[in-house]
Amino acid sequence: MKNYRTNISFKRIQQLAIPAILSGIAEPVLSSTDAAVVGNIPEFGTESLAAVGIVGSFLSMLIWILAQSRSAISAIVSQNLGAGKIKELENFPAQAIYFNIALSIIVLLSTYFFVEEIFSLLNAEGLILEYSIDYYNIRVWGFPLTLFTFAVFGLFRGLQNTFWPMTIATTGALVNIGLDFALVYGIDNFIDPMGIQGAAWASLISQAIMALMAFIFVLWKTDVSLRLKFPLHPEIKRLVQMCINLFVRSVALNAALMLAVREATGLGKEYIAAHAIAINIWLFTAFFIDGYGAAGNILGGKLLGEKDYTTLWKLTKRVNLYNLFVSAMLVVAGLIFYKDLGLLFNKDGEVLSIFYGMFFMVLISQPLNALGFTLDAIFKGLGEMSYLRNVLLGATILGFIPFMFLGRYMGWGLIGIWLAILVWVGYRAVALIIKYRNKYLPLVEK
């Protein structure tokens, strides 16, 4: 006889989703605030906005690749919690956190000395390349701090708690906004204007504050010890296996995003600036949508541990319905503030003209994002990392790349790039729906 312990009521889902939304948007808020502030520097707004767009996309790629360990940590902790084995995890959390930090340091060192070559490969040149290097060489040192913070977020999520990650993330975002204005524009008789380097320092300081808060809360609010002890916990092997699959998946995911950046950069500085505005808005909405996906991830992993497939199906339907509603509200908001969103980032007439001519594609993507990202999060909670890897490889190789080159051949400009993104997201949504129907629906009690 099953033990129906997990609460999936509307109230419980909101308790998890709303804090997850606020914590999830912290990273895109850092990049979006940087883009909005430096993009409005009158003397070199277009070049600085383009540089922030290129570096922001590259950093998001690195963070997404390694931050997947957060999902693996959350899945393992939540499944053990549902199975009543949480006390058996012992030293696993500390080992997982140190694993995350070690990976981040390796990646930092492997990119820091090749930064000019990396951004040149992305078609950055001249002043844009110079600004990109200046911005990246400061922001990259926040990478291990962010990965440590995300590992702690994964631990809290596995323990069915999104409140403390929200507190950490919103504090970091608010600090970043304040520091952006203070350091980029300066404060009379106190701080000299630092331009794009000021934006980078604002992000780095914010990431340091978030990491410090994460360290304090994990010691204060949990029984987890951060002392690294051996031997390795048996679940570390599963963590590594999950992470390898998620890393490959994220490489495919970010290859698509970076190819889009490279293609947009090749069209000219106004086009990459317009794309930077669009992708920052898209990332913001994606993380916003991901809040309900996080609730599905957290509760789904616990339900799998309990082997309660009937409630898992009810949860899946609910969080997808909630996210479709959220996506509809995002579309409405985008239509209402269509002009204002562009002006928030840049005042250049040519950049805005290009942006206004393609922003409707960002809005069309929202329902597809809702389905694809929600199911993606649920599948992470269920530990389906190998299937998620295969889906992203297929979406990128069979969906995104062919349509991107089709758009180039047809001369569709940014519209062609964003058509490829729509196909890419739609492929993921359909593949995950098919998998869920074939594997988990048959397990539901009739």
Side-chain angles (χ1 to χ4, degrees):
M1 181 177 179
K2 287 188 170 79
N3 183 10
Y4 294 90
R5 295 170 293 172
T6 300
N7 178 8
I8 64 163
S9 66
F10 177 82
K11 180 180 179 180
R12 178 56 180 157
I13 290 174
Q14 307 315 307
Q15 286 175 339
L16 292 172
I18 293 174
I21 289 170
L22 294 175
S23 63
I25 63 175
E27 179 57 33
V29 162
L30 295 182
S31 294
S32 296
T33 303
D34 288 356
V37 173
V38 304
N40 282 290
I41 300 175
E43 58 269 31
F44 44 78
T46 300
E47 287 83 1
S48 60
L49 175 59
V52 170
I54 292 170
V55 176
S57 296
F58 182 69
L59 278 173
S60 293
M61 177 194 73
L62 294 180
I63 289 170
W64 279 5
I65 289 173
L66 295 188
Q68 297 304 313
S69 57
R70 171 184 62 180
S71 298
I73 293 169
S74 175
I76 290 171
V77 173
S78 63
Q79 288 173 21
N80 277 272
L81 181 65
K85 300 179 180 178
I86 193 66
K87 291 184 178 179
E88 297 178 15
L89 286 183
E90 301 174 289
N91 300 321
F92 170 78
Q95 292 173 359
I97 289 171
Y98 281 99
F99 171 73
N100 229 32
I101 294 172
L103 285 174
S104 69
I105 293 173
I106 291 170
V107 172
L108 185 157
L109 295 175
S110 66
T111 61
Y112 184 77
F113 299 103
F114 305 99
V115 60
E116 183 173 352
E117 290 79 5
I118 290 170
F119 295 127
S120 295
L121 187 64
L122 294 174
N123 284 335
E125 56 185 20
L127 199 56
I128 294 176
L129 177 59
E130 181 183 331
Y131 288 157
S132 296
I133 294 171
D134 289 344
Y135 183 66
Y136 183 80
N137 281 342
I138 297 170
R139 271 209 66 181
V140 69
W141 296 103
F143 192 57
L145 300 173
T146 298
L147 268 293
F148 168 76
T149 303
F150 278 8
V152 172
F153 283 7
L155 174 61
F156 274 116
R157 282 189 176 191
L159 295 173
Q160 316 289 288
N161 185 313
T162 56
F163 179 80
W164 295 116
M166 175 198 70
T167 303
I168 296 166
T170 52
T171 300
L174 291 173
V175 169
N176 183 73
I177 292 171
L179 288 176
D180 256 331
F181 284 98
L183 299 181
V184 172
Y185 298 127
I187 299 175
D188 290 341
N189 302 318
F190 185 61
I191 299 176
D192 293 331
M194 299 173 64
I196 194 170
Q197 291 188 3
W201 278 110
S203 295
L204 178 58
I205 294 169
S206 301
Q207 289 166 320
I209 290 172
M210 291 169 65
L212 179 60
M213 291 179 67
F215 176 78
I216 292 170
F217 283 149
V218 79
L219 295 180
W220 181 28
K221 295 297 180 180
T222 74
D223 295 327
V224 172
S225 170
L226 293 181
R227 293 180 179 177
L228 183 61
K229 297 180 181 179
F230 294 96
L232 292 177
H233 192 279
E235 287 283 25
I236 288 293
K237 180 179 179 181
R238 189 157 72 107
L239 173 69
V240 172
Q241 290 173 338
M242 285 184 176
C243 286
I244 290 173
N245 284 321
L246 289 173
F247 293 166
V248 173
R249 168 189 178 276
S250 292
V251 168
L253 184 154
N254 286 286
L257 295 180
M258 295 312 298
L259 283 172
V261 169
R262 188 179 190 279
E263 195 72 10
T265 305
L267 295 173
K269 67 179 183 180
E270 288 81 13
Y271 286 88
I272 183 54
H275 180 72
I277 297 172
I279 202 67
N280 271 285
I281 295 172
W282 187 83
L283 288 171
F284 178 85
T285 59
F287 279 93
F288 198 98
I289 286 172
D290 198 46
Y292 282 99
N297 172 286
I298 293 165
L299 295 171
K302 188 166 183 283
L303 288 166
L304 180 67
E306 296 173 5
K307 299 187 182 337
D308 188 350
Y309 302 108
T310 301
T311 308
L312 175 63
W313 169 230
K314 292 178 181 177
L315 171 72
T316 303
K317 290 189 292 185
R318 288 180 187 179
V319 291
N320 274 285
L321 182 62
Y322 297 158
N323 252 348
L324 284 171
F325 176 78
V326 170
S327 71
M329 293 299 98
L330 289 171
V331 171
V332 171
L335 291 172
I336 293 173
F337 299 106
Y338 202 96
K339 299 289 186 181
D340 298 314
L341 286 170
L343 290 169
L344 181 65
F345 287 87
N346 196 259
K347 303 296 188 296
D348 184 281
E350 188 172 353
V351 172
L352 291 175
S353 177
I354 295 168
F355 170 73
Y356 293 143
M358 56 72 56
F359 181 53
F360 70 93
M361 301 290 283
V362 177
L363 301 182
I364 292 173
S365 73
Q366 297 308 311
L368 294 175
N369 291 350
L371 291 173
F373 298 166
T374 305
L375 287 169
D376 188 274
I378 291 172
F379 271 70
K380 286 178 185 175
L382 301 177
E384 293 278 359
M385 312 311 186
S386 60
Y387 185 73
L388 291 174
R389 175 202 65 204
N390 294 339
V391 168
L392 250 299
L393 287 170
T396 301
I397 297 171
L398 303 177
F400 178 83
I401 293 176
F403 274 85
M404 186 187 70
F405 282 108
L406 174 65
R408 178 197 289 182
Y409 177 77
M410 298 298 293
W412 291 338
L414 281 188
I415 295 289
I417 294 172
W418 278 85
L419 175 62
I421 291 175
L422 288 180
V423 172
W424 180 65
V425 175
Y427 182 109
R428 294 166 60 187
V430 172
L432 293 174
I433 289 171
I434 292 172
K435 176 70 171 182
Y436 194 98
R437 289 180 62 86
N438 289 342
K439 181 170 182 178
Y440 291 98
L441 271 187
L443 300 175
V444 176
E445 291 183 350
K446 305 299 182 182

